Amino acid sequence: MAGPAPGWRLRPLAALALVLALAPGLPAAQAGQAPRPAERGPPVRLFTEEELARYGGEEEDQPIYLAVKGVVFDVTSGKEFYGRGAPYNALTGKDSTRGVAKMSLDPADLTHDIVSQIMGF
């Protein structure tokens, strides 16, 4: 009984390479071509604690912000969770890193300071 023809294993790989080379929407790589830099997102905005406190969901016409580890997230689309009187409203308008990490809404946990309360400093 004769075995498969030489190179039979290469045919599926060649077919895949041909499909990838001809597929629309896939970036074509060329030798010596530098990759394009990633597109930049919106500019970074820095908040003071007082500024962030203005976005706690108390006013209907304001966005609702929540910060974790110093990164501010716009949670306005989840008003039913983060708006005035909503279950997670206590997390908004401040850096609530410790509360999020502990999954706690205890006011003592609603702080960015996770080390001193854990270590007792």
Side-chain angles (χ1 to χ4, degrees):
M1 177 184 230
W8 70 273
R9 290 183 184 168
L10 296 179
R11 288 188 189 134
L13 293 176
L16 178 61
L18 180 62
V19 168
L20 291 175
L22 298 176
L26 293 176
Q30 297 180 3
Q33 184 180 24
R36 293 185 313 194
E39 292 184 26
R40 291 186 172 184
V44 174
R45 175 166 175 208
L46 302 177
F47 290 86
T48 64
E49 288 183 26
E50 294 78 23
E51 288 174 319
L52 188 56
R54 292 185 215 147
Y55 300 99
E58 296 303 317
E59 296 187 31
E60 289 295 320
D61 61 336
Q62 291 282 355
I64 304 170
Y65 293 158
L66 157 70
V68 177
K69 290 184 70 177
V71 178
V72 177
F73 297 92
D74 185 341
V75 295
T76 308
S77 64
K79 273 188 181 181
E80 64 275 11
F81 301 107
Y82 298 101
R84 182 181 6 191
Y88 300 112
N89 178 256
L91 298 170
T92 63
K94 63 180 76 66
D95 190 321
S96 299
T97 301
R98 182 174 169 83
V100 170
K102 289 182 65 179
M103 296 174 31
S104 169
L105 296 175
D106 182 342
D109 291 330
L110 300 178
T111 177
H112 68 283
D113 185 6
I114 59 173
V115 176
S116 66
Q117 291 184 8
I118 293 171
M119 304 300 281
F121 295 143

